[in-house]
PDB file of all heavy atoms in Angstrom:
ATOM      1  N   LEU A 281     -52.873  77.088  89.421  1.00  0.00           N
ATOM      2  CA  LEU A 281     -54.207  77.564  89.048  1.00  0.00           C
ATOM      3  C   LEU A 281     -55.110  76.452  88.558  1.00  0.00           C
ATOM      4  O   LEU A 281     -56.300  76.575  88.730  1.00  0.00           O
ATOM      5  CB  LEU A 281     -54.036  78.639  87.969  1.00  0.00           C
ATOM      6  CG  LEU A 281     -53.240  79.838  88.317  1.00  0.00           C
ATOM      7  CD1 LEU A 281     -53.183  80.862  87.145  1.00  0.00           C
ATOM      8  CD2 LEU A 281     -53.715  80.564  89.590  1.00  0.00           C
ATOM      9  N   VAL A 282     -54.564  75.402  88.010  1.00  0.00           N
ATOM     10  CA  VAL A 282     -55.375  74.329  87.412  1.00  0.00           C
ATOM     11  C   VAL A 282     -54.802  73.003  87.933  1.00  0.00           C
ATOM     12  O   VAL A 282     -53.604  72.734  87.855  1.00  0.00           O
ATOM     13  CB  VAL A 282     -55.304  74.361  85.864  1.00  0.00           C
ATOM     14  CG1 VAL A 282     -56.005  73.158  85.298  1.00  0.00           C
ATOM     15  CG2 VAL A 282     -56.007  75.667  85.402  1.00  0.00           C
ATOM     16  N   VAL A 283     -55.711  72.083  88.373  1.00  0.00           N
ATOM     17  CA  VAL A 283     -55.358  70.713  88.714  1.00  0.00           C
ATOM     18  C   VAL A 283     -55.488  69.951  87.432  1.00  0.00           C
ATOM     19  O   VAL A 283     -56.614  69.802  86.855  1.00  0.00           O
ATOM     20  CB  VAL A 283     -56.326  70.155  89.816  1.00  0.00           C
ATOM     21  CG1 VAL A 283     -55.934  68.733  90.026  1.00  0.00           C
ATOM     22  CG2 VAL A 283     -56.226  71.002  91.085  1.00  0.00           C
ATOM     23  N   ARG A 284     -54.427  69.412  86.918  1.00  0.00           N
ATOM     24  CA  ARG A 284     -54.339  68.777  85.690  1.00  0.00           C
ATOM     25  C   ARG A 284     -54.845  67.354  85.795  1.00  0.00           C
ATOM     26  O   ARG A 284     -54.077  66.403  86.000  1.00  0.00           O
ATOM     27  CB  ARG A 284     -52.960  68.847  85.045  1.00  0.00           C
ATOM     28  CG  ARG A 284     -52.556  70.296  84.678  1.00  0.00           C
ATOM     29  CD  ARG A 284     -51.074  70.485  84.676  1.00  0.00           C
ATOM     30  NE  ARG A 284     -50.681  71.807  84.203  1.00  0.00           N
ATOM     31  CZ  ARG A 284     -50.709  72.875  84.964  1.00  0.00           C
ATOM     32  NH1 ARG A 284     -51.132  72.819  86.197  1.00  0.00           N
ATOM     33  NH2 ARG A 284     -50.300  74.039  84.428  1.00  0.00           N
ATOM     34  N   ALA A 285     -56.145  67.131  85.804  1.00  0.00           N
ATOM     35  CA  ALA A 285     -56.827  65.886  85.979  1.00  0.00           C
ATOM     36  C   ALA A 285     -57.905  65.786  84.887  1.00  0.00           C
ATOM     37  O   ALA A 285     -58.065  66.617  84.057  1.00  0.00           O
ATOM     38  CB  ALA A 285     -57.361  65.740  87.379  1.00  0.00           C
ATOM     39  N   ARG A 286     -58.658  64.691  84.934  1.00  0.00           N
ATOM     40  CA  ARG A 286     -59.758  64.477  83.957  1.00  0.00           C
ATOM     41  C   ARG A 286     -61.062  64.315  84.767  1.00  0.00           C
ATOM     42  O   ARG A 286     -61.207  63.236  85.423  1.00  0.00           O
ATOM     43  CB  ARG A 286     -59.455  63.281  83.103  1.00  0.00           C
ATOM     44  CG  ARG A 286     -58.367  63.496  82.040  1.00  0.00           C
ATOM     45  CD  ARG A 286     -58.288  62.300  81.135  1.00  0.00           C
ATOM     46  NE  ARG A 286     -57.252  62.479  80.066  1.00  0.00           N
ATOM     47  CZ  ARG A 286     -57.465  63.084  78.932  1.00  0.00           C
ATOM     48  NH1 ARG A 286     -58.703  63.527  78.682  1.00  0.00           N
ATOM     49  NH2 ARG A 286     -56.574  63.219  78.072  1.00  0.00           N
ATOM     50  N   PRO A 287     -61.968  65.244  84.808  1.00  0.00           N
ATOM     51  CA  PRO A 287     -61.792  66.584  84.120  1.00  0.00           C
ATOM     52  C   PRO A 287     -60.889  67.488  84.938  1.00  0.00           C
ATOM     53  O   PRO A 287     -60.780  67.319  86.169  1.00  0.00           O
ATOM     54  CB  PRO A 287     -63.206  67.063  84.043  1.00  0.00           C
ATOM     55  CG  PRO A 287     -63.857  66.453  85.269  1.00  0.00           C
ATOM     56  CD  PRO A 287     -63.266  65.095  85.448  1.00  0.00           C
ATOM     57  N   LEU A 288     -60.318  68.445  84.306  1.00  0.00           N
ATOM     58  CA  LEU A 288     -59.525  69.441  85.026  1.00  0.00           C
ATOM     59  C   LEU A 288     -60.358  70.280  85.921  1.00  0.00           C
ATOM     60  O   LEU A 288     -61.553  70.484  85.611  1.00  0.00           O
ATOM     61  CB  LEU A 288     -58.576  70.203  84.090  1.00  0.00           C
ATOM     62  CG  LEU A 288     -59.320  71.196  83.117  1.00  0.00           C
ATOM     63  CD1 LEU A 288     -59.726  72.562  83.760  1.00  0.00           C
ATOM     64  CD2 LEU A 288     -58.317  71.501  81.936  1.00  0.00           C
ATOM     65  N   ARG A 289     -59.804  70.831  86.950  1.00  0.00           N
ATOM     66  CA  ARG A 289     -60.532  71.709  87.832  1.00  0.00           C
ATOM     67  C   ARG A 289     -59.628  72.867  88.287  1.00  0.00           C
ATOM     68  O   ARG A 289     -58.408  72.641  88.300  1.00  0.00           O
ATOM     69  CB  ARG A 289     -61.108  70.954  88.986  1.00  0.00           C
ATOM     70  CG  ARG A 289     -60.152  70.382  89.963  1.00  0.00           C
ATOM     71  CD  ARG A 289     -60.824  69.608  91.104  1.00  0.00           C
ATOM     72  NE  ARG A 289     -59.876  69.103  92.106  1.00  0.00           N
ATOM     73  CZ  ARG A 289     -59.177  68.065  92.000  1.00  0.00           C
ATOM     74  NH1 ARG A 289     -59.343  67.251  90.944  1.00  0.00           N
ATOM     75  NH2 ARG A 289     -58.355  67.743  93.043  1.00  0.00           N
ATOM     76  N   LEU A 290     -60.238  73.971  88.575  1.00  0.00           N
ATOM     77  CA  LEU A 290     -59.472  75.118  89.056  1.00  0.00           C
ATOM     78  C   LEU A 290     -59.204  75.001  90.568  1.00  0.00           C
ATOM     79  O   LEU A 290     -60.061  74.611  91.324  1.00  0.00           O
ATOM     80  CB  LEU A 290     -60.218  76.405  88.711  1.00  0.00           C
ATOM     81  CG  LEU A 290     -59.962  77.080  87.314  1.00  0.00           C
ATOM     82  CD1 LEU A 290     -60.243  76.131  86.188  1.00  0.00           C
ATOM     83  CD2 LEU A 290     -60.704  78.372  87.201  1.00  0.00           C
ATOM     84  N   THR A 291     -58.025  75.472  90.992  1.00  0.00           N
ATOM     85  CA  THR A 291     -57.769  75.627  92.373  1.00  0.00           C
ATOM     86  C   THR A 291     -58.474  76.910  92.903  1.00  0.00           C
ATOM     87  O   THR A 291     -59.007  77.663  92.066  1.00  0.00           O
ATOM     88  CB  THR A 291     -56.261  75.762  92.639  1.00  0.00           C
ATOM     89  OG1 THR A 291     -55.774  76.939  91.968  1.00  0.00           O
ATOM     90  CG2 THR A 291     -55.502  74.566  92.009  1.00  0.00           C
ATOM     91  N   GLU A 292     -58.407  77.139  94.160  1.00  0.00           N
ATOM     92  CA  GLU A 292     -59.000  78.333  94.722  1.00  0.00           C
ATOM     93  C   GLU A 292     -58.405  79.634  94.138  1.00  0.00           C
ATOM     94  O   GLU A 292     -59.069  80.526  93.717  1.00  0.00           O
ATOM     95  CB  GLU A 292     -58.943  78.372  96.254  1.00  0.00           C
ATOM     96  CG  GLU A 292     -59.835  77.339  96.919  1.00  0.00           C
ATOM     97  CD  GLU A 292     -61.286  77.438  96.513  1.00  0.00           C
ATOM     98  OE1 GLU A 292     -61.800  78.600  96.456  1.00  0.00           O
ATOM     99  OE2 GLU A 292     -61.928  76.409  96.104  1.00  0.00           O
ATOM    100  N   PRO A 293     -57.029  79.683  94.018  1.00  0.00           N
ATOM    101  CA  PRO A 293     -56.409  80.840  93.359  1.00  0.00           C
ATOM    102  C   PRO A 293     -56.908  80.950  91.901  1.00  0.00           C
ATOM    103  O   PRO A 293     -57.065  82.072  91.411  1.00  0.00           O
ATOM    104  CB  PRO A 293     -54.946  80.645  93.489  1.00  0.00           C
ATOM    105  CG  PRO A 293     -54.752  79.800  94.719  1.00  0.00           C
ATOM    106  CD  PRO A 293     -55.925  78.913  94.691  1.00  0.00           C
ATOM    107  N   GLY A 294     -57.038  79.795  91.219  1.00  0.00           N
ATOM    108  CA  GLY A 294     -57.551  79.755  89.876  1.00  0.00           C
ATOM    109  C   GLY A 294     -58.920  80.379  89.779  1.00  0.00           C
ATOM    110  O   GLY A 294     -59.161  81.062  88.776  1.00  0.00           O
ATOM    111  N   LYS A 295     -59.781  80.097  90.735  1.00  0.00           N
ATOM    112  CA  LYS A 295     -61.115  80.672  90.675  1.00  0.00           C
ATOM    113  C   LYS A 295     -61.109  82.204  90.854  1.00  0.00           C
ATOM    114  O   LYS A 295     -61.870  82.884  90.259  1.00  0.00           O
ATOM    115  CB  LYS A 295     -61.946  80.008  91.804  1.00  0.00           C
ATOM    116  CG  LYS A 295     -62.267  78.556  91.558  1.00  0.00           C
ATOM    117  CD  LYS A 295     -62.954  77.932  92.763  1.00  0.00           C
ATOM    118  CE  LYS A 295     -63.158  76.418  92.584  1.00  0.00           C
ATOM    119  NZ  LYS A 295     -63.868  75.755  93.686  1.00  0.00           N
ATOM    120  N   VAL A 296     -60.153  82.637  91.682  1.00  0.00           N
ATOM    121  CA  VAL A 296     -60.031  84.130  91.845  1.00  0.00           C
ATOM    122  C   VAL A 296     -59.632  84.777  90.522  1.00  0.00           C
ATOM    123  O   VAL A 296     -60.217  85.773  90.110  1.00  0.00           O
ATOM    124  CB  VAL A 296     -58.976  84.437  92.978  1.00  0.00           C
ATOM    125  CG1 VAL A 296     -58.685  85.954  93.001  1.00  0.00           C
ATOM    126  CG2 VAL A 296     -59.486  83.959  94.253  1.00  0.00           C
ATOM    127  N   LEU A 297     -58.680  84.178  89.867  1.00  0.00           N
ATOM    128  CA  LEU A 297     -58.215  84.776  88.552  1.00  0.00           C
ATOM    129  C   LEU A 297     -59.298  84.531  87.489  1.00  0.00           C
ATOM    130  O   LEU A 297     -59.324  85.343  86.562  1.00  0.00           O
ATOM    131  CB  LEU A 297     -56.885  84.163  88.187  1.00  0.00           C
ATOM    132  CG  LEU A 297     -55.681  84.623  88.999  1.00  0.00           C
ATOM    133  CD1 LEU A 297     -54.410  84.141  88.334  1.00  0.00           C
ATOM    134  CD2 LEU A 297     -55.691  86.132  89.150  1.00  0.00           C
ATOM    135  N   LEU A 298     -60.005  83.492  87.584  1.00  0.00           N
ATOM    136  CA  LEU A 298     -61.119  83.244  86.587  1.00  0.00           C
ATOM    137  C   LEU A 298     -62.140  84.415  86.682  1.00  0.00           C
ATOM    138  O   LEU A 298     -62.544  84.916  85.679  1.00  0.00           O
ATOM    139  CB  LEU A 298     -61.783  81.891  86.796  1.00  0.00           C
ATOM    140  CG  LEU A 298     -62.999  81.616  85.928  1.00  0.00           C
ATOM    141  CD1 LEU A 298     -62.618  81.637  84.431  1.00  0.00           C
ATOM    142  CD2 LEU A 298     -63.680  80.283  86.344  1.00  0.00           C
ATOM    143  N   ARG A 299     -62.456  84.729  87.910  1.00  0.00           N
ATOM    144  CA  ARG A 299     -63.364  85.881  88.025  1.00  0.00           C
ATOM    145  C   ARG A 299     -62.789  87.142  87.434  1.00  0.00           C
ATOM    146  O   ARG A 299     -63.574  87.861  86.772  1.00  0.00           O
ATOM    147  CB  ARG A 299     -63.624  86.132  89.577  1.00  0.00           C
ATOM    148  CG  ARG A 299     -64.638  87.110  89.883  1.00  0.00           C
ATOM    149  CD  ARG A 299     -65.112  87.061  91.388  1.00  0.00           C
ATOM    150  NE  ARG A 299     -63.967  87.362  92.247  1.00  0.00           N
ATOM    151  CZ  ARG A 299     -63.523  86.530  93.199  1.00  0.00           C
ATOM    152  NH1 ARG A 299     -64.048  85.354  93.336  1.00  0.00           N
ATOM    153  NH2 ARG A 299     -62.575  86.923  93.998  1.00  0.00           N
ATOM    154  N   TYR A 300     -61.563  87.375  87.669  1.00  0.00           N
ATOM    155  CA  TYR A 300     -60.909  88.544  87.017  1.00  0.00           C
ATOM    156  C   TYR A 300     -60.942  88.433  85.486  1.00  0.00           C
ATOM    157  O   TYR A 300     -61.173  89.466  84.833  1.00  0.00           O
ATOM    158  CB  TYR A 300     -59.464  88.698  87.553  1.00  0.00           C
ATOM    159  CG  TYR A 300     -58.609  89.805  87.018  1.00  0.00           C
ATOM    160  CD1 TYR A 300     -59.032  91.052  87.195  1.00  0.00           C
ATOM    161  CD2 TYR A 300     -57.481  89.506  86.269  1.00  0.00           C
ATOM    162  CE1 TYR A 300     -58.247  92.169  86.641  1.00  0.00           C
ATOM    163  CE2 TYR A 300     -56.663  90.539  85.827  1.00  0.00           C
ATOM    164  CZ  TYR A 300     -57.108  91.839  85.983  1.00  0.00           C
ATOM    165  OH  TYR A 300     -56.379  92.929  85.469  1.00  0.00           O
ATOM    166  N   ALA A 301     -60.607  87.262  84.981  1.00  0.00           N
ATOM    167  CA  ALA A 301     -60.622  87.040  83.533  1.00  0.00           C
ATOM    168  C   ALA A 301     -61.949  87.297  82.946  1.00  0.00           C
ATOM    169  O   ALA A 301     -62.054  87.915  81.871  1.00  0.00           O
ATOM    170  CB  ALA A 301     -60.141  85.615  83.227  1.00  0.00           C
ATOM    171  N   ARG A 302     -63.011  86.838  83.533  1.00  0.00           N
ATOM    172  CA  ARG A 302     -64.388  87.063  83.073  1.00  0.00           C
ATOM    173  C   ARG A 302     -64.694  88.552  83.031  1.00  0.00           C
ATOM    174  O   ARG A 302     -65.304  89.056  82.055  1.00  0.00           O
ATOM    175  CB  ARG A 302     -65.442  86.300  83.955  1.00  0.00           C
ATOM    176  CG  ARG A 302     -65.280  84.837  83.895  1.00  0.00           C
ATOM    177  CD  ARG A 302     -65.982  84.234  82.694  1.00  0.00           C
ATOM    178  NE  ARG A 302     -66.008  82.796  82.733  1.00  0.00           N
ATOM    179  CZ  ARG A 302     -65.503  81.973  81.837  1.00  0.00           C
ATOM    180  NH1 ARG A 302     -64.905  82.569  80.754  1.00  0.00           N
ATOM    181  NH2 ARG A 302     -65.628  80.674  81.856  1.00  0.00           N
ATOM    182  N   GLN A 303     -64.300  89.264  84.065  1.00  0.00           N
ATOM    183  CA  GLN A 303     -64.551  90.667  84.055  1.00  0.00           C
ATOM    184  C   GLN A 303     -63.784  91.436  82.982  1.00  0.00           C
ATOM    185  O   GLN A 303     -64.336  92.361  82.320  1.00  0.00           O
ATOM    186  CB  GLN A 303     -64.156  91.254  85.471  1.00  0.00           C
ATOM    187  CG  GLN A 303     -65.050  90.694  86.567  1.00  0.00           C
ATOM    188  CD  GLN A 303     -64.622  91.140  87.948  1.00  0.00           C
ATOM    189  OE1 GLN A 303     -63.836  92.079  88.101  1.00  0.00           O
ATOM    190  NE2 GLN A 303     -65.115  90.479  89.009  1.00  0.00           N
ATOM    191  N   MET A 304     -62.571  90.961  82.698  1.00  0.00           N
ATOM    192  CA  MET A 304     -61.784  91.577  81.683  1.00  0.00           C
ATOM    193  C   MET A 304     -62.361  91.358  80.343  1.00  0.00           C
ATOM    194  O   MET A 304     -62.333  92.239  79.473  1.00  0.00           O
ATOM    195  CB  MET A 304     -60.279  91.044  81.729  1.00  0.00           C
ATOM    196  CG  MET A 304     -59.483  91.557  82.976  1.00  0.00           C
ATOM    197  SD  MET A 304     -59.357  93.348  83.099  1.00  0.00           S
ATOM    198  CE  MET A 304     -58.421  93.683  81.567  1.00  0.00           C
ATOM    199  N   GLN A 305     -62.898  90.112  80.105  1.00  0.00           N
ATOM    200  CA  GLN A 305     -63.540  89.813  78.850  1.00  0.00           C
ATOM    201  C   GLN A 305     -64.774  90.728  78.635  1.00  0.00           C
ATOM    202  O   GLN A 305     -65.012  91.193  77.520  1.00  0.00           O
ATOM    203  CB  GLN A 305     -63.948  88.343  78.833  1.00  0.00           C
ATOM    204  CG  GLN A 305     -62.725  87.399  78.695  1.00  0.00           C
ATOM    205  CD  GLN A 305     -63.190  85.968  78.687  1.00  0.00           C
ATOM    206  OE1 GLN A 305     -64.210  85.614  79.279  1.00  0.00           O
ATOM    207  NE2 GLN A 305     -62.368  85.070  78.214  1.00  0.00           N
ATOM    208  N   ALA A 306     -65.583  90.932  79.679  1.00  0.00           N
ATOM    209  CA  ALA A 306     -66.734  91.732  79.607  1.00  0.00           C
ATOM    210  C   ALA A 306     -66.334  93.241  79.293  1.00  0.00           C
ATOM    211  O   ALA A 306     -66.931  93.837  78.413  1.00  0.00           O
ATOM    212  CB  ALA A 306     -67.550  91.740  80.921  1.00  0.00           C
ATOM    213  N   LEU A 307     -65.276  93.711  79.906  1.00  0.00           N
ATOM    214  CA  LEU A 307     -64.797  95.061  79.680  1.00  0.00           C
ATOM    215  C   LEU A 307     -64.263  95.177  78.196  1.00  0.00           C
ATOM    216  O   LEU A 307     -64.459  96.216  77.587  1.00  0.00           O
ATOM    217  CB  LEU A 307     -63.711  95.440  80.626  1.00  0.00           C
ATOM    218  CG  LEU A 307     -64.147  95.710  82.109  1.00  0.00           C
ATOM    219  CD1 LEU A 307     -62.921  95.829  82.976  1.00  0.00           C
ATOM    220  CD2 LEU A 307     -65.041  96.855  82.184  1.00  0.00           C
ATOM    221  N   ARG A 308     -63.632  94.089  77.726  1.00  0.00           N
ATOM    222  CA  ARG A 308     -63.111  94.126  76.369  1.00  0.00           C
ATOM    223  C   ARG A 308     -64.249  94.182  75.388  1.00  0.00           C
ATOM    224  O   ARG A 308     -64.168  94.897  74.354  1.00  0.00           O
ATOM    225  CB  ARG A 308     -62.183  92.927  76.148  1.00  0.00           C
ATOM    226  CG  ARG A 308     -61.488  92.961  74.819  1.00  0.00           C
ATOM    227  CD  ARG A 308     -60.341  91.980  74.896  1.00  0.00           C
ATOM    228  NE  ARG A 308     -60.763  90.645  75.165  1.00  0.00           N
ATOM    229  CZ  ARG A 308     -60.026  89.757  75.857  1.00  0.00           C
ATOM    230  NH1 ARG A 308     -58.857  90.099  76.332  1.00  0.00           N
ATOM    231  NH2 ARG A 308     -60.464  88.556  76.101  1.00  0.00           N
ATOM    232  N   ALA A 309     -65.327  93.483  75.675  1.00  0.00           N
ATOM    233  CA  ALA A 309     -66.506  93.520  74.797  1.00  0.00           C
ATOM    234  C   ALA A 309     -67.188  94.890  74.765  1.00  0.00           C
ATOM    235  O   ALA A 309     -67.545  95.385  73.758  1.00  0.00           O
ATOM    236  CB  ALA A 309     -67.543  92.455  75.260  1.00  0.00           C
ATOM    237  N   ASP A 310     -67.186  95.531  75.945  1.00  0.00           N
ATOM    238  CA  ASP A 310     -67.709  96.891  76.025  1.00  0.00           C
ATOM    239  C   ASP A 310     -66.908  97.783  75.176  1.00  0.00           C
ATOM    240  O   ASP A 310     -67.443  98.693  74.410  1.00  0.00           O
ATOM    241  CB  ASP A 310     -67.731  97.391  77.463  1.00  0.00           C
ATOM    242  CG  ASP A 310     -68.864  96.716  78.270  1.00  0.00           C
ATOM    243  OD1 ASP A 310     -69.807  96.197  77.640  1.00  0.00           O
ATOM    244  OD2 ASP A 310     -68.745  96.712  79.478  1.00  0.00           O
ATOM    245  N   ALA A 311     -65.551  97.764  75.312  1.00  0.00           N
ATOM    246  CA  ALA A 311     -64.618  98.630  74.592  1.00  0.00           C
ATOM    247  C   ALA A 311     -64.782  98.448  73.056  1.00  0.00           C
ATOM    248  O   ALA A 311     -64.835  99.426  72.292  1.00  0.00           O
ATOM    249  CB  ALA A 311     -63.188  98.403  75.027  1.00  0.00           C
ATOM    250  N   ALA A 312     -64.825  97.184  72.683  1.00  0.00           N
ATOM    251  CA  ALA A 312     -64.960  96.907  71.242  1.00  0.00           C
ATOM    252  C   ALA A 312     -66.219  97.482  70.666  1.00  0.00           C
ATOM    253  O   ALA A 312     -66.302  97.995  69.563  1.00  0.00           O
ATOM    254  CB  ALA A 312     -64.922  95.374  71.004  1.00  0.00           C
ATOM    255  N   ARG A 313     -67.348  97.346  71.411  1.00  0.00           N
ATOM    256  CA  ARG A 313     -68.671  97.855  71.010  1.00  0.00           C
ATOM    257  C   ARG A 313     -68.606  99.394  70.826  1.00  0.00           C
ATOM    258  O   ARG A 313     -69.107  99.889  69.872  1.00  0.00           O
ATOM    259  CB  ARG A 313     -69.748  97.412  72.061  1.00  0.00           C
ATOM    260  CG  ARG A 313     -71.130  97.820  71.679  1.00  0.00           C
ATOM    261  CD  ARG A 313     -72.115  97.204  72.650  1.00  0.00           C
ATOM    262  NE  ARG A 313     -71.825  97.596  73.971  1.00  0.00           N
ATOM    263  CZ  ARG A 313     -72.462  98.566  74.580  1.00  0.00           C
ATOM    264  NH1 ARG A 313     -73.441  99.237  73.989  1.00  0.00           N
ATOM    265  NH2 ARG A 313     -72.214  98.892  75.848  1.00  0.00           N
ATOM    266  N   GLU A 314     -68.031 100.057  71.868  1.00  0.00           N
ATOM    267  CA  GLU A 314     -67.915 101.517  71.771  1.00  0.00           C
ATOM    268  C   GLU A 314     -67.044 102.022  70.631  1.00  0.00           C
ATOM    269  O   GLU A 314     -67.264 103.045  70.037  1.00  0.00           O
ATOM    270  CB  GLU A 314     -67.430 102.067  73.100  1.00  0.00           C
ATOM    271  CG  GLU A 314     -68.459 101.886  74.255  1.00  0.00           C
ATOM    272  CD  GLU A 314     -68.056 102.725  75.415  1.00  0.00           C
ATOM    273  OE1 GLU A 314     -67.567 103.824  75.279  1.00  0.00           O
ATOM    274  OE2 GLU A 314     -68.384 102.279  76.571  1.00  0.00           O
ATOM    275  N   LEU A 315     -66.023 101.162  70.367  1.00  0.00           N
ATOM    276  CA  LEU A 315     -65.066 101.586  69.217  1.00  0.00           C
ATOM    277  C   LEU A 315     -65.538 101.200  67.895  1.00  0.00           C
ATOM    278  O   LEU A 315     -64.972 101.528  66.840  1.00  0.00           O
ATOM    279  CB  LEU A 315     -63.680 101.010  69.546  1.00  0.00           C
ATOM    280  CG  LEU A 315     -62.917 101.570  70.756  1.00  0.00           C
ATOM    281  CD1 LEU A 315     -61.668 100.775  70.969  1.00  0.00           C
ATOM    282  CD2 LEU A 315     -62.614 103.029  70.514  1.00  0.00           C
ATOM    283  N   GLY A 316     -66.624 100.290  67.876  1.00  0.00           N
ATOM    284  CA  GLY A 316     -67.118  99.807  66.556  1.00  0.00           C
ATOM    285  C   GLY A 316     -66.268  98.823  65.909  1.00  0.00           C
ATOM    286  O   GLY A 316     -66.292  98.647  64.698  1.00  0.00           O
ATOM    287  N   THR A 317     -65.414  98.068  66.724  1.00  0.00           N
ATOM    288  CA  THR A 317     -64.520  97.082  66.227  1.00  0.00           C
ATOM    289  C   THR A 317     -65.104  95.683  66.385  1.00  0.00           C
ATOM    290  O   THR A 317     -66.063  95.507  67.223  1.00  0.00           O
ATOM    291  CB  THR A 317     -63.103  97.226  66.814  1.00  0.00           C
ATOM    292  OG1 THR A 317     -63.280  96.970  68.243  1.00  0.00           O
ATOM    293  CG2 THR A 317     -62.494  98.527  66.520  1.00  0.00           C
ATOM    294  N   THR A 318     -64.512  94.684  65.791  1.00  0.00           N
ATOM    295  CA  THR A 318     -64.950  93.347  65.895  1.00  0.00           C
ATOM    296  C   THR A 318     -63.942  92.501  66.622  1.00  0.00           C
ATOM    297  O   THR A 318     -62.734  92.557  66.365  1.00  0.00           O
ATOM    298  CB  THR A 318     -65.175  92.713  64.524  1.00  0.00           C
ATOM    299  OG1 THR A 318     -66.138  93.476  63.757  1.00  0.00           O
ATOM    300  CG2 THR A 318     -65.723  91.274  64.607  1.00  0.00           C
ATOM    301  N   LEU A 319     -64.411  91.721  67.548  1.00  0.00           N
ATOM    302  CA  LEU A 319     -63.545  90.884  68.397  1.00  0.00           C
ATOM    303  C   LEU A 319     -63.202  89.654  67.541  1.00  0.00           C
ATOM    304  O   LEU A 319     -63.957  89.183  66.709  1.00  0.00           O
ATOM    305  CB  LEU A 319     -64.179  90.502  69.719  1.00  0.00           C
ATOM    306  CG  LEU A 319     -64.427  91.658  70.646  1.00  0.00           C
ATOM    307  CD1 LEU A 319     -65.408  91.212  71.752  1.00  0.00           C
ATOM    308  CD2 LEU A 319     -63.136  92.165  71.275  1.00  0.00           C
ATOM    309  N   ALA A 320     -62.052  89.025  67.931  1.00  0.00           N
ATOM    310  CA  ALA A 320     -61.669  87.776  67.285  1.00  0.00           C
ATOM    311  C   ALA A 320     -62.660  86.689  67.432  1.00  0.00           C
ATOM    312  O   ALA A 320     -62.973  85.853  66.534  1.00  0.00           O
ATOM    313  CB  ALA A 320     -60.320  87.347  67.770  1.00  0.00           C
ATOM    314  N   ARG A 321     -63.271  86.644  68.682  1.00  0.00           N
ATOM    315  CA  ARG A 321     -64.421  85.780  68.861  1.00  0.00           C
ATOM    316  C   ARG A 321     -65.287  86.360  69.902  1.00  0.00           C
ATOM    317  O   ARG A 321     -64.880  87.260  70.642  1.00  0.00           O
ATOM    318  CB  ARG A 321     -63.915  84.330  69.381  1.00  0.00           C
ATOM    319  CG  ARG A 321     -63.381  84.339  70.779  1.00  0.00           C
ATOM    320  CD  ARG A 321     -62.809  82.900  71.088  1.00  0.00           C
ATOM    321  NE  ARG A 321     -62.441  82.842  72.492  1.00  0.00           N
ATOM    322  CZ  ARG A 321     -63.099  82.205  73.420  1.00  0.00           C
ATOM    323  NH1 ARG A 321     -64.266  81.654  73.090  1.00  0.00           N
ATOM    324  NH2 ARG A 321     -62.691  82.106  74.718  1.00  0.00           N
ATOM    325  N   ASP A 322     -66.657  85.960  69.925  1.00  0.00           N
ATOM    326  CA  ASP A 322     -67.523  86.569  70.836  1.00  0.00           C
ATOM    327  C   ASP A 322     -67.074  86.357  72.283  1.00  0.00           C
ATOM    328  O   ASP A 322     -66.661  85.204  72.643  1.00  0.00           O
ATOM    329  CB  ASP A 322     -68.930  85.875  70.694  1.00  0.00           C
ATOM    330  CG  ASP A 322     -69.614  86.301  69.397  1.00  0.00           C
ATOM    331  OD1 ASP A 322     -69.080  87.204  68.713  1.00  0.00           O
ATOM    332  OD2 ASP A 322     -70.719  85.787  69.101  1.00  0.00           O
ATOM    333  N   GLU A 323     -67.072  87.389  73.028  1.00  0.00           N
ATOM    334  CA  GLU A 323     -66.769  87.249  74.458  1.00  0.00           C
ATOM    335  C   GLU A 323     -67.916  86.635  75.167  1.00  0.00           C
ATOM    336  O   GLU A 323     -69.040  86.935  74.872  1.00  0.00           O
ATOM    337  CB  GLU A 323     -66.444  88.614  75.086  1.00  0.00           C
ATOM    338  CG  GLU A 323     -65.216  89.296  74.489  1.00  0.00           C
ATOM    339  CD  GLU A 323     -63.872  88.602  74.847  1.00  0.00           C
ATOM    340  OE1 GLU A 323     -63.964  87.529  75.439  1.00  0.00           O
ATOM    341  OE2 GLU A 323     -62.832  89.090  74.427  1.00  0.00           O
ATOM    342  N   ARG A 324     -67.557  85.705  76.063  1.00  0.00           N
ATOM    343  CA  ARG A 324     -68.610  84.974  76.741  1.00  0.00           C
ATOM    344  C   ARG A 324     -69.063  85.791  77.964  1.00  0.00           C
ATOM    345  O   ARG A 324     -68.268  86.200  78.831  1.00  0.00           O
ATOM    346  CB  ARG A 324     -68.039  83.595  77.180  1.00  0.00           C
ATOM    347  CG  ARG A 324     -68.984  82.714  77.893  1.00  0.00           C
ATOM    348  CD  ARG A 324     -68.342  81.311  78.057  1.00  0.00           C
ATOM    349  NE  ARG A 324     -69.077  80.474  78.915  1.00  0.00           N
ATOM    350  CZ  ARG A 324     -68.645  80.159  80.171  1.00  0.00           C
ATOM    351  NH1 ARG A 324     -67.542  80.678  80.631  1.00  0.00           N
ATOM    352  NH2 ARG A 324     -69.318  79.364  80.900  1.00  0.00           N
TER     353      ARG A 324
END
């Protein structure tokens, strides 16, 4: 998923999963807001 270089870069499969990860973070922020809870850190 990641080419371990300087700077590091994502492979094509890594980019696919990054898209999924970003969507999951947004959904988690929505759930926390509806439940009135606080996330460990602000979702980006």
